[in-house]
Amino acid sequence: MDYGEIQSINLARLLREGGTAEAKGEISGQIELGNDTIPLQDKALWQVSVTSVGDDELWLSGEIAGNAMMECRRCLDPTPTPVRAHFQHMLRYQPGLEHLEAVEEDDEEIFLFGKPDLELAPFLSEAFALELPYTTLCREDCPGLCEFCGANLKRAPQDCCPQRSQQGKEGKLAEQLKKLDLEGIE
């Protein structure tokens, strides 16, 4: 996350008077989640709304959308992958609390915060990460990597190495798959 960009919302007025507060912004470069980073193709856009529900409790709802850069599962090329995440959380204000804390009450998760400036980065990054697909493809017909020399078959010729040329179009992997008895497997 580019820390020059502000991902927080001031809730002082909301805590005093009630009502709703809104904020929106963008994240450039990457999204950080603990020690991991999720590279972005361009920017991820976010917006949140916080509504007072009484007794220092607030309802946070928001969304974040952008293109994560993931490796294609076949050729390992960086591939823009669209991600759109929505999130909702119950918040409770506890003055003096230094860090955001999650507690479980009546089988419901509530986030406790102690400063009127609520840091949104943890909510945004977690929601984005949870919506990432397990894998992605750069294109449906991606030929992947050569099973013999490891060359990217999108850029290398189909006869990138002597073993592949001898094997023909099917290759060693296809031969092995034919040998497997896959009947009865669903």
Side-chain angles (χ1 to χ4, degrees):
M1 234 174 259
D2 182 346
Y3 288 102
E5 299 167 356
I6 298 171
Q7 286 113 25
S8 66
I9 185 170
N10 186 293
L11 302 174
R13 182 194 56 79
L14 193 63
L15 291 165
R16 281 191 319 272
E17 303 168 10
T20 299
E22 296 178 344
K24 62 182 175 178
E26 57 188 42
I27 301 170
S28 299
Q30 64 187 22
I31 292 179
E32 294 183 10
L33 182 64
N35 293 330
D36 293 325
T37 59
I38 304 165
L40 297 171
Q41 179 184 30
D42 190 21
K43 299 174 185 173
L45 302 176
W46 59 267
Q47 62 182 21
V48 298
S49 174
V50 182
T51 303
S52 174
V53 293
D55 296 328
D56 288 334
E57 290 191 338
L58 308 162
W59 184 251
L60 168 69
S61 63
E63 70 177 312
I64 181 169
N67 287 323
M69 293 302 292
M70 296 178 62
E71 287 182 343
C72 171
R73 71 176 182 224
R74 292 185 190 155
C75 69
L76 306 180
D77 278 351
T79 303
T81 306
V83 175
R84 178 176 293 277
H86 299 272
F87 56 94
Q88 299 180 339
H89 300 289
M90 182 63 76
L91 307 172
R92 183 177 301 139
Y93 181 59
Q94 289 194 338
L97 193 62
E98 287 297 315
H99 302 286
L100 189 66
E101 289 182 26
V103 296
E104 206 52 50
E105 286 184 12
D106 300 324
D107 293 329
E108 189 177 324
E109 186 175 52
I110 298 175
F111 288 90
L112 309 176
F113 69 103
K115 297 178 183 173
D117 283 322
L118 178 65
E119 179 63 38
L120 297 171
F123 301 108
L124 297 169
S125 58
E126 179 183 42
F128 194 86
L130 288 173
E131 289 300 318
L132 285 172
Y134 289 114
T135 63
T136 193
L137 286 173
C138 61
R139 61 181 207 228
E140 283 298 317
D141 65 341
C142 176
L145 302 175
C146 173
E147 63 268 23
F148 298 104
C149 69
N152 187 327
L153 295 176
K154 287 192 308 189
R155 293 186 286 277
Q158 293 299 321
D159 58 349
C160 54
C161 62
Q163 295 93 331
R164 185 167 178 81
S165 297
Q166 292 170 0
Q167 218 38 53
K169 286 187 177 180
E170 292 184 333
K172 188 176 181 180
L173 181 60
E175 261 182 40
Q176 295 300 319
L177 287 173
K178 284 181 182 179
K179 291 179 185 177
L180 291 175
D181 180 18
L182 299 176
E183 289 181 27
I185 297 177
E186 293 183 28

